[in-house]
Amino acid sequence: MKERLQKIIASAGLTSRREAEKWIVAGEVSVDGVVASLGDKADPTRQVVTVRGKPIKISSKHHYLLLNKPAGYLCTCSDPEMRSVIYQLVKDVPARLFSIGRLDLNTEGLILLTDDGNLGNQLAHPRFKIEKTYLVRARGKVSRESLEKMRAGISLEDGITAPAKIDNVRFSAGHTWLEITIHEGRNRQVRRMLEALGHSVSRLKRIRFAFLEIGDLKPGQYRFLTKEEISRLKKF
Ligand code: URA
């Protein structure tokens, strides 16, 4: 099937569509040896599309990665303040990846990256109620009453939260550790829930997304999902 050249180039993971248009206008793209013009289409399975003389590799396969995001990295493509972004950690993957949902700058842990737009949109959609579990270290002692409030739902400025699951509560050195499982994914939800109860969060790490666990990946490390994991995710 014929597609616009900028789409073919972007799908191959070389750059964005907009940038690819600039390459075409600059005469850097050819189809079967003929310099292309903006608006040209090609069938990448039958024709050879070259960028600056190099044939581009077309893969119909999508990429699915599980990254352990370190604190201090943004889940955006670029940052005007030049802070680190998660995509710097997966530079060697030849695809235009995006994250499924986001984690705050100082939140660590499991984040899925893919170039499969359909699956990405599906899993990020609140309708699917995908459960995510966070390991939280909160300052002070979170009382039994406060834990029950989180289990029941807390009033935040954007409405009452759905009941959260709370597990593995421990107290240590002036802090409370707990695991909280939610499915809503509102902005800064875990931090805001604890703040509403009078506790600031000193560490936040996502350790589970649906059935996927962070395992022993070190901060900054990633792994590709297995075929079984991908097909399970597609069934949500
Ligand atoms: N809740 C938060 O407060 N921050 C995150 O990054 C994710 C969930």
Side-chain angles (χ1 to χ4, degrees), residues 69 102-108 132 134 182 185-193 195 201 204 206:
K69 173 193 174 299
R102 288 186 176 186
L103 295 175
D104 297 337
L105 175 68
N106 286 322
T107 303
E108 314 158 45
K132 295 131 201 153
Y134 297 86
I182 55 172
R186 304 189 207 174
N187 192 26
R188 297 186 69 252
Q189 181 167 341
V190 175
R191 292 178 196 274
R192 288 192 295 135
M193 286 170 75
E195 277 159 18
V201 169
L204 185 58
R206 182 149 74 187

Tab-separated table of all heavy atoms in Angstrom, residues 69 102-108 132 134 182 185-193 195 201 204 206, ligand 1:
chain	number	residue	atom	x	y	z
A	69	LYS	N	12.265	3.575	35.118
A	69	LYS	CA	12.578	5.014	35.027
A	69	LYS	C	13.281	5.472	36.293
A	69	LYS	O	12.755	5.277	37.390
A	69	LYS	CB	11.274	5.801	34.847
A	69	LYS	CG	11.441	7.315	34.901
A	69	LYS	CD	10.090	7.986	35.043
A	69	LYS	CE	10.161	9.477	35.249
A	69	LYS	NZ	10.875	9.898	36.469
A	102	ARG	N	2.280	8.466	32.078
A	102	ARG	CA	3.498	9.180	32.479
A	102	ARG	C	3.765	9.008	33.957
A	102	ARG	O	2.839	8.741	34.722
A	102	ARG	CB	3.337	10.679	32.200
A	102	ARG	CG	3.378	10.983	30.725
A	102	ARG	CD	3.375	12.461	30.482
A	102	ARG	NE	3.514	12.686	29.054
A	102	ARG	CZ	3.659	13.877	28.493
A	102	ARG	NH1	3.696	14.951	29.252
A	102	ARG	NH2	3.797	13.999	27.203
A	103	LEU	N	5.000	9.196	34.325
A	103	LEU	CA	5.358	9.273	35.748
A	103	LEU	C	5.958	10.657	35.984
A	103	LEU	O	6.611	11.211	35.099
A	103	LEU	CB	6.377	8.187	36.104
A	103	LEU	CG	5.896	6.728	36.002
A	103	LEU	CD1	7.048	5.758	36.259
A	103	LEU	CD2	4.764	6.452	36.980
A	104	ASP	N	5.751	11.175	37.185
A	104	ASP	CA	6.309	12.487	37.525
A	104	ASP	C	7.836	12.466	37.443
A	104	ASP	O	8.444	11.399	37.584
A	104	ASP	CB	6.012	12.860	38.986
A	104	ASP	CG	4.540	12.986	39.263
A	104	ASP	OD1	3.784	13.219	38.331
A	104	ASP	OD2	4.185	12.840	40.450
A	105	LEU	N	8.392	13.652	37.358
A	105	LEU	CA	9.864	13.792	37.315
A	105	LEU	C	10.542	12.943	38.394
A	105	LEU	O	11.486	12.210	38.133
A	105	LEU	CB	10.221	15.276	37.501
A	105	LEU	CG	11.687	15.625	37.596
A	105	LEU	CD1	12.395	15.399	36.266
A	105	LEU	CD2	11.875	17.087	38.034
A	106	ASN	N	10.042	13.020	39.626
A	106	ASN	CA	10.740	12.334	40.719
A	106	ASN	C	10.157	10.975	41.074
A	106	ASN	O	10.519	10.400	42.088
A	106	ASN	CB	10.808	13.233	41.948
A	106	ASN	CG	11.835	14.318	41.711
A	106	ASN	OD1	12.878	14.059	41.101
A	106	ASN	ND2	11.516	15.534	42.107
A	107	THR	N	9.251	10.475	40.241
A	107	THR	CA	8.742	9.119	40.456
A	107	THR	C	9.605	8.156	39.657
A	107	THR	O	10.026	8.447	38.546
A	107	THR	CB	7.272	9.024	39.992
A	107	THR	OG1	6.517	9.998	40.710
A	107	THR	CG2	6.694	7.643	40.252
A	108	GLU	N	9.885	7.012	40.290
A	108	GLU	CA	10.723	6.000	39.643
A	108	GLU	C	9.848	4.843	39.187
A	108	GLU	O	8.684	4.772	39.520
A	108	GLU	CB	11.721	5.410	40.653
A	108	GLU	CG	12.445	6.388	41.505
A	108	GLU	CD	12.960	5.731	42.793
A	108	GLU	OE1	13.525	4.620	42.721
A	108	GLU	OE2	12.782	6.333	43.863
A	132	LYS	N	-2.359	-0.158	38.749
A	132	LYS	CA	-0.927	0.150	38.885
A	132	LYS	C	-0.605	0.184	40.367
A	132	LYS	O	-1.354	0.793	41.141
A	132	LYS	CB	-0.601	1.517	38.276
A	132	LYS	CG	-0.808	1.593	36.779
A	132	LYS	CD	-1.620	2.803	36.439
A	132	LYS	CE	-2.270	2.656	35.080
A	132	LYS	NZ	-3.504	3.447	34.998
A	134	TYR	N	2.088	1.170	43.395
A	134	TYR	CA	3.208	2.051	43.734
A	134	TYR	C	3.730	1.722	45.117
A	134	TYR	O	2.939	1.489	46.046
A	134	TYR	CB	2.755	3.518	43.737
A	134	TYR	CG	2.280	3.989	42.384
A	134	TYR	CD1	0.961	3.778	41.989
A	134	TYR	CD2	3.148	4.620	41.503
A	134	TYR	CE1	0.519	4.195	40.734
A	134	TYR	CE2	2.708	5.035	40.255
A	134	TYR	CZ	1.398	4.820	39.877
A	134	TYR	OH	0.961	5.221	38.647
A	182	ILE	N	-3.909	1.616	42.452
A	182	ILE	CA	-5.012	2.449	41.942
A	182	ILE	C	-5.169	2.161	40.446
A	182	ILE	O	-4.269	1.612	39.816
A	182	ILE	CB	-4.740	3.962	42.153
A	182	ILE	CG1	-3.393	4.362	41.537
A	182	ILE	CG2	-4.792	4.318	43.623
A	182	ILE	CD1	-3.144	5.865	41.536
A	185	GLY	N	-5.121	6.840	37.606
A	185	GLY	CA	-4.025	7.547	36.934
A	185	GLY	C	-4.271	9.026	36.723
A	185	GLY	O	-3.960	9.572	35.670
A	186	ARG	N	-4.847	9.697	37.733
A	186	ARG	CA	-4.942	11.155	37.616
A	186	ARG	C	-3.575	11.748	37.872
A	186	ARG	O	-2.723	11.107	38.495
A	186	ARG	CB	-5.886	11.710	38.689
A	186	ARG	CG	-7.263	11.112	38.657
A	186	ARG	CD	-8.096	11.922	39.613
A	186	ARG	NE	-9.181	11.144	40.150
A	186	ARG	CZ	-9.978	11.597	41.107
A	186	ARG	NH1	-9.770	12.781	41.629
A	186	ARG	NH2	-10.959	10.856	41.541
A	187	ASN	N	-3.425	13.004	37.476
A	187	ASN	CA	-2.137	13.666	37.632
A	187	ASN	C	-1.686	13.667	39.100
A	187	ASN	O	-2.450	14.054	39.973
A	187	ASN	CB	-2.306	15.102	37.105
A	187	ASN	CG	-0.988	15.790	36.942
A	187	ASN	OD1	0.032	15.129	36.743
A	187	ASN	ND2	-0.993	17.100	37.046
A	188	ARG	N	-0.484	13.211	39.371
A	188	ARG	CA	0.125	13.208	40.713
A	188	ARG	C	-0.811	12.606	41.769
A	188	ARG	O	-0.840	13.042	42.920
A	188	ARG	CB	0.499	14.638	41.135
A	188	ARG	CG	1.546	15.296	40.256
A	188	ARG	CD	1.989	16.645	40.799
A	188	ARG	NE	2.751	16.521	42.041
A	188	ARG	CZ	2.285	16.864	43.232
A	188	ARG	NH1	1.069	17.329	43.386
A	188	ARG	NH2	3.043	16.709	44.294
A	189	GLN	N	-1.551	11.609	41.366
A	189	GLN	CA	-2.620	11.125	42.248
A	189	GLN	C	-2.123	10.599	43.594
A	189	GLN	O	-2.671	10.948	44.644
A	189	GLN	CB	-3.432	10.024	41.545
A	189	GLN	CG	-4.563	9.522	42.426
A	189	GLN	CD	-5.554	8.675	41.686
A	189	GLN	OE1	-5.613	8.721	40.464
A	189	GLN	NE2	-6.333	7.910	42.421
A	190	VAL	N	-1.087	9.769	43.580
A	190	VAL	CA	-0.631	9.177	44.840
A	190	VAL	C	-0.088	10.267	45.766
A	190	VAL	O	-0.425	10.321	46.953
A	190	VAL	CB	0.437	8.087	44.573
A	190	VAL	CG1	1.000	7.565	45.881
A	190	VAL	CG2	-0.161	6.957	43.746
A	191	ARG	N	0.714	11.141	45.203
A	191	ARG	CA	1.267	12.224	46.029
A	191	ARG	C	0.146	13.070	46.621
A	191	ARG	O	0.163	13.426	47.798
A	191	ARG	CB	2.198	13.112	45.188
A	191	ARG	CG	3.481	12.404	44.760
A	191	ARG	CD	4.340	13.314	43.882
A	191	ARG	NE	5.343	12.534	43.177
A	191	ARG	CZ	6.526	12.201	43.672
A	191	ARG	NH1	6.867	12.602	44.877
A	191	ARG	NH2	7.370	11.478	42.978
A	192	ARG	N	-0.853	13.380	45.794
A	192	ARG	CA	-1.943	14.239	46.285
A	192	ARG	C	-2.789	13.528	47.341
A	192	ARG	O	-3.286	14.144	48.274
A	192	ARG	CB	-2.812	14.713	45.115
A	192	ARG	CG	-2.089	15.760	44.256
A	192	ARG	CD	-3.020	16.436	43.282
A	192	ARG	NE	-3.531	15.516	42.288
A	192	ARG	CZ	-4.797	15.449	41.921
A	192	ARG	NH1	-5.694	16.248	42.458
A	192	ARG	NH2	-5.187	14.597	40.997
A	193	MET	N	-2.965	12.218	47.197
A	193	MET	CA	-3.752	11.481	48.201
A	193	MET	C	-3.055	11.553	49.556
A	193	MET	O	-3.677	11.811	50.587
A	193	MET	CB	-3.934	10.020	47.769
A	193	MET	CG	-4.927	9.842	46.643
A	193	MET	SD	-4.928	8.167	45.962
A	193	MET	CE	-5.787	7.270	47.226
A	195	GLU	N	-0.772	13.738	50.466
A	195	GLU	CA	-0.719	15.137	50.933
A	195	GLU	C	-2.041	15.530	51.593
A	195	GLU	O	-2.060	16.235	52.604
A	195	GLU	CB	-0.418	16.086	49.759
A	195	GLU	CG	1.078	16.184	49.456
A	195	GLU	CD	1.377	16.676	48.046
A	195	GLU	OE1	0.480	17.262	47.403
A	195	GLU	OE2	2.525	16.449	47.585
A	201	VAL	N	5.308	12.821	50.304
A	201	VAL	CA	5.887	11.563	49.797
A	201	VAL	C	7.368	11.795	49.547
A	201	VAL	O	7.742	12.681	48.780
A	201	VAL	CB	5.142	11.132	48.515
A	201	VAL	CG1	5.863	10.006	47.803
A	201	VAL	CG2	3.706	10.725	48.849
A	204	LEU	N	8.667	7.547	45.605
A	204	LEU	CA	7.519	6.932	44.931
A	204	LEU	C	8.032	6.114	43.756
A	204	LEU	O	8.757	6.629	42.900
A	204	LEU	CB	6.567	8.034	44.443
A	204	LEU	CG	5.249	7.583	43.813
A	204	LEU	CD1	4.438	6.721	44.772
A	204	LEU	CD2	4.403	8.799	43.418
A	206	ARG	N	6.786	3.074	40.920
A	206	ARG	CA	5.763	2.165	40.392
A	206	ARG	C	6.392	0.783	40.236
A	206	ARG	O	7.419	0.631	39.577
A	206	ARG	CB	5.234	2.660	39.048
A	206	ARG	CG	4.140	1.738	38.533
A	206	ARG	CD	3.128	2.478	37.704
A	206	ARG	NE	3.672	2.801	36.406
A	206	ARG	CZ	3.037	3.578	35.520
A	206	ARG	NH1	1.887	4.127	35.821
A	206	ARG	NH2	3.574	3.826	34.349
B	1	URA	N1	1.047	9.189	41.303
B	1	URA	C1	1.861	10.229	41.487
B	1	URA	O1	1.659	11.025	42.400
B	1	URA	N2	2.906	10.383	40.645
B	1	URA	C2	3.167	9.517	39.639
B	1	URA	O2	4.143	9.705	38.913
B	1	URA	C3	2.306	8.434	39.460
B	1	URA	C4	1.252	8.285	40.313
